[in-house]
Amino acid sequence: MYYNPGFGVPTSPCTPSPCQMYQAPVMPMNPYGVQPVQSAPQQMMPMASPSCGCSQMPTYPASPMPYAAPCYNQMPQAMPISVEATIMPQAAKDDCDCQSTKKTYTKTTYMEAEVPLMQSVRKPYQTTQSTNTTCTNLPLAQSYVQPQTYKNFNDVNNVLTQGTYFKDLYKPYTKGGNQ
Amino acid sequence: MPQQLSRVQLLEEIQKISLVCVDLNLFLDTHPDCEEALRDFNRANKFYRQLVNEYQVTYGPLLGFGQMSTMEQNYNWIKGPWPWERQNRGESL
């Protein structure tokens, strides 16, 4: 090369820590993943009325998560329908003083009586668990960003052909994968 | 004194350093505290300006305005080869 600006000489990663101070933002967990989904039904409160028939309206604490109203259209097909569980009736019994609250809620009565639309939307997920994977029943994806470190530089004479000064970012497209 | 580069060679050197500057610029956007990257960026930026200045002194302005301090004698921008003229000469840039 005609000029020698001092580039393209491998150096050690930026130390001790200036580069490492950068932290990718922490992404919230997918509320429809395996663990969060277990607690999602608890946050669908309050319901319209208790099953005991009394006029006392039970209230429930607000959801601590930002996903208080999950969209069931986005639920992965593998999510077990049993996650609806019976958290609802227990909460209703605790909040209602009348004696008729011994009646047990079930998932079916909850789904049909209180959120009929959810049930109708959810049915396809129940019935397509063993069918082919399509764009409509794929589980949600999660993206991530790996913090880049200051190392592995390209030679300046290669930057135009590889399109980057960082070797780690050189990802040539090859049909069919690595060839 | 290093040998004189042709116009095309010098343009290519400018493009290389320009891309290095762009990449370091992007890296510093997310790592503003990386002193090593900042140091290299300043060196690359300085070197880029040297190359551009050398090109413009030798072969005329790279852009119509904004780079040369003045158009000394006359309007030099029009004297450079146009893109179709470069192609006719077999030059890549």
Side-chain angles (χ1 to χ4, degrees), chain A:
Chain A
M1 194 176 125
Y2 174 64
Y3 293 94
N4 181 20
F7 303 123
V9 179
T11 61
S12 60
C14 196
T15 55
S17 64
C19 291
Q20 308 303 326
M21 292 176 65
Y22 171 74
Q23 295 290 333
V26 177
M27 301 295 292
M29 281 195 67
N30 179 358
Y32 308 120
V34 174
Q35 291 303 323
V37 129
Q38 301 298 322
S39 59
Q42 298 180 45
Q43 296 146 24
M44 292 160 57
M45 312 301 161
M47 59 180 290
S49 62
S51 67
C52 62
C54 75
S55 59
Q56 188 171 347
M57 182 70 74
T59 57
Y60 303 90
S63 166
M65 297 179 63
Y67 310 104
C71 175
Y72 282 83
N73 281 320
Q74 298 177 10
M75 281 197 170
Q77 66 170 31
M79 192 194 81
I81 196 68
S82 60
V83 296
E84 294 298 326
T86 55
I87 299 167
M88 180 72 177
Q90 184 59 45
K93 283 194 295 183
D94 293 343
D95 290 345
C96 184
D97 293 328
C98 75
Q99 295 301 313
S100 59
T101 56
K102 304 301 181 186
K103 178 181 177 182
T104 302
Y105 271 73
T106 64
K107 177 198 68 180
T108 303
T109 56
Y110 168 70
M111 293 295 292
E112 291 178 351
E114 308 300 336
V115 199
L117 179 59
M118 289 183 181
Q119 189 184 37
S120 64
V121 170
R122 179 170 296 193
K123 275 183 178 177
Y125 293 105
Q126 293 175 277
T127 57
T128 58
Q129 288 190 10
S130 60
T131 60
N132 293 333
T133 300
T134 68
C135 60
T136 58
N137 60 17
L138 277 173
L140 295 179
Q142 284 184 312
S143 62
Y144 68 93
V145 177
Q146 176 83 346
Q148 184 183 0
T149 53
Y150 196 65
K151 61 181 183 179
N152 295 336
F153 309 114
N154 250 335
D155 186 272
V156 175
N157 293 311
N158 294 333
V159 295
L160 288 181
T161 55
Q162 299 193 355
T164 178
Y165 181 48
F166 298 100
K167 283 183 179 177
D168 294 338
L169 298 181
Y170 178 54
K171 308 283 186 185
Y173 173 77
T174 53
K175 187 177 181 180
N178 295 330
Q179 291 180 357

